Amino acid sequence: MGPREPVYYGDYLQLDKLLDSQHPESKKVGSECHDEMLFILVHQVYELWFKQIIHELKSVYSTFGEESIEEKSLSTVVARLERVKKIQGLLLSQLEVMETMTPMDFLEFRDLLIPASGFQSVQFREIEILLGLGTKDRIAVDREYFLGRLSQPDREKLLKIEEQPSFLKLLEGWLERVPFTANKSFDFWKEYNKSVETMLSRDEKIIRGNEDHFGSKEMEGQLAYLGITRKTFESLFDEKIHNSLIEKKERKFSQKATLNALFILLYRDEPILNQPFNILTALMDIDENFTTWRYRHSMMAHRMLGTKIGTGGSSGHEYLKRAAENNRVFVDLYNLSTFLIPRSLLPVLPDSVKKELDFHFS
Ligand code: HEM
């Protein structure tokens, strides 16, 4: 390689292009509205951070696309997911900057933006699809908005991404391959079910013991709830019920993946399960952060628009609130808490399994 030209700050960052990319519509039609510059810049900063999030997710995605994943790659995955979480922190706090614009200042230029809308953020949709929220995963009313407001090339680009398995799918495949519960000499789930029975019988005893305190009607009610909990546990071990819940879109992961994820959560303290546990936790954090952002964004839209419709033609904050409630990816991981049991009741693992889960310096 020959001598290189000295790198110059503005050239390296292409600031000519970047800083010449803010062109308020209000200026084009007469007099510039002061706050439109803020509106443009905040959106642009979001799009830049979306680009970085996609960059991180794609790298995590390619790791999970491999047939087997080395332990050290898991540390990189955790580090990248942690970075996404930090960026999400910025995305959330940026809404405060946006909210320094008052609804009346917004009204000065809002009509000039119709029909443009956040619906057309291709990168936001790409993040959703990459994680596992494709067109089919939306409630019917959102499907029209999901890709419907996009230009043909943008729609085609996203549909192409949708053809690949989502990260949720790759994660499911990886969870299915977790080996530790398939030990011939030790039926882990039989032992686990014994512990569950101990826990539920204990709960039943406590409820019955409180009859004097609550009265028999209240006691019957509580026993009925306990019966529902029992059934939920049963549904986890009955593949037919589990699959019917998948069909009803109440569960996403296969039974095998679900059970293995539960095993990771239960035995998170075992060294080899520590990074997988960190990954599952980071994914729940990321899901939760997007949900929080969606809620905050819907509150902001309410504050700016009242009950007016959005520039993209949706019902405005009502639509956004519904999207916040429905558009979650890793709900199955949250629901696994239903099946956690106290550490004191965890089945003791035989030495042969324990050895596989351990690593130590000697
Ligand atoms: C004054 C500020 C804002 C208002 C009043 C507002 C309002 C809305 C409304 C009403 C929608 C629903 C679609 C529609 O009918 O247009 C929407 C969607 C959206 N907005 Fe905003 N928005 C604002 C700022 C932002 C910012 C700063 C971002 C950052 C990128 C953003 C990103 C999005 C996205 C991604 C969607 C699609 C959400 C989905 O379909 O789940 N918005 N916005």
Side-chain angles (χ1 to χ4, degrees):
M1 197 165 70
R4 290 174 64 234
E5 282 283 312
V7 179
Y8 188 68
Y9 179 84
D11 295 339
Y12 178 62
L13 299 174
Q14 303 209 28
L15 292 183
D16 279 356
K17 255 199 257 171
L18 193 63
L19 300 179
D20 188 27
S21 305
Q22 295 74 35
H23 304 289
E25 286 295 310
S26 56
K27 192 173 174 186
K28 292 183 202 162
V29 298
S31 68
E32 180 177 340
C33 299
H34 178 85
D35 282 10
E36 196 180 347
M37 179 62 84
L38 177 80
F39 187 80
I40 294 174
L41 272 167
V42 170
H43 279 84
Q44 287 179 336
V45 174
Y46 267 101
E47 291 293 336
L48 288 174
W49 283 127
F50 289 163
K51 184 168 182 176
Q52 187 66 35
I53 290 178
I54 291 170
H55 187 61
E56 304 303 342
L57 288 181
K58 279 190 172 160
S59 114
V60 170
Y61 184 94
S62 75
T63 303
F64 274 80
E66 288 162 18
E67 255 174 45
S68 72
I69 308 174
E70 273 187 52
E71 192 58 25
K72 68 175 179 211
S73 310
L74 293 184
S75 307
T76 310
V77 166
V78 171
R80 298 202 170 145
L81 293 178
E82 288 299 320
R83 182 177 289 158
V84 171
K85 280 167 57 181
K86 293 282 179 211
I87 295 172
Q88 287 180 310
L90 295 178
L91 298 187
L92 197 62
S93 58
Q94 262 193 75
L95 289 176
E96 285 175 25
V97 183
M98 188 81 271
E99 281 171 338
T100 61
M101 176 177 78
T102 69
M104 281 175 81
D105 292 325
F106 183 41
L107 283 176
E108 286 301 322
F109 62 92
R110 171 182 185 260
D111 286 354
L112 298 172
L113 310 180
I114 298 170
S117 146
F119 274 152
Q120 294 163 340
S121 171
V122 177
Q123 292 200 102
F124 188 76
R125 294 298 186 230
E126 185 170 349
I127 293 172
E128 292 187 320
I129 294 171
L130 276 176
L131 286 175
L133 275 173
T135 315
K136 292 193 304 301
D137 307 302
R138 316 230 147 208
I139 54 171
V141 63
D142 295 356
R143 280 186 203 157
E144 175 208 335
Y145 297 136
F146 184 53
L147 299 175
R149 298 290 193 271
L150 295 172
S151 68
Q152 189 64 17
D154 282 345
R155 202 176 311 145
E156 277 167 17
K157 178 183 164 177
L158 291 175
L159 284 172
K160 221 176 160 61
I161 299 173
E162 263 201 57
E163 282 169 16
Q164 302 161 22
S166 69
F167 180 63
L168 187 81
K169 267 277 150 221
L170 296 182
L171 183 76
E172 179 186 47
W174 175 67
L175 286 170
E176 282 173 356
R177 298 197 299 272
V178 171
F180 310 109
T181 53
N183 189 308
K184 281 197 191 76
S185 59
F186 175 62
D187 187 346
F188 171 73
W189 295 114
K190 198 168 148 198
E191 297 303 312
Y192 166 82
N193 270 315
K194 277 191 211 157
S195 296
V196 169
E197 194 39 53
T198 310
M199 181 178 77
L200 295 179
S201 310
R202 234 190 242 172
D203 289 351
E204 187 174 336
K205 214 165 148 195
I206 293 171
I207 295 171
R208 289 193 188 281
N210 273 323
E211 188 178 359
D212 290 348
H213 183 66
F214 289 123
S216 60
K217 205 162 164 223
E218 169 85 21
M219 185 190 76
E220 291 304 327
Q222 290 198 16
L223 286 175
Y225 278 128
L226 193 67
I228 295 172
T229 310
R230 266 212 166 84
K231 286 236 164 318
T232 311
F233 273 98
E234 278 163 32
S235 74
L236 186 65
F237 292 95
D238 185 324
E239 199 171 359
K240 242 168 117 186
I241 302 181
H242 184 88
N243 288 345
S244 75
L245 292 172
I246 292 179
E247 244 165 64
K248 284 196 233 156
K249 293 199 179 299
E250 288 177 30
R251 284 186 194 162
K252 299 188 187 191
F253 286 142
S254 67
Q255 188 200 28
K256 195 167 179 197
T258 309
L259 289 174
N260 282 343
L262 176 59
F263 185 77
I264 292 171
L265 296 192
L266 289 171
Y267 291 93
R268 64 190 73 179
D269 299 332
E270 299 297 334
I272 217 156
L273 295 181
N274 207 244
Q275 284 302 38
F277 172 70
N278 288 337
I279 290 174
L280 299 187
T281 306
L283 291 174
M284 283 193 270
D285 291 339
I286 288 173
D287 214 18
E288 191 166 326
N289 289 341
F290 273 129
T291 302
T292 309
W293 184 84
R294 284 189 174 99
Y295 264 117
R296 277 285 282 111
H297 170 258
S298 96
M299 296 291 286
M300 179 181 71
H302 195 180
R303 186 176 173 151
M304 291 284 175
L305 303 172
T307 54
K308 291 188 190 87
I309 62 166
T311 51
S314 78
S315 59
H317 88 94
E318 276 298 334
Y319 159 78
L320 294 169
K321 207 166 64 174
R322 216 178 36 237
E325 270 154 19
N326 292 307
N327 293 343
R328 291 174 59 192
V329 189
F330 302 107
V331 186
D332 286 32
L333 295 179
Y334 286 81
N335 285 340
L336 280 178
S337 293
T338 318
F339 308 111
L340 295 179
I341 56 177
R343 269 194 176 80
S344 54
L345 288 181
L346 276 180
V348 178
L349 300 172
D351 281 349
S352 59
V353 179
K354 243 186 124 41
K355 234 188 212 152
E356 282 181 52
L357 296 171
D358 202 4
F359 46 77
H360 53 267
F361 302 99
S362 55

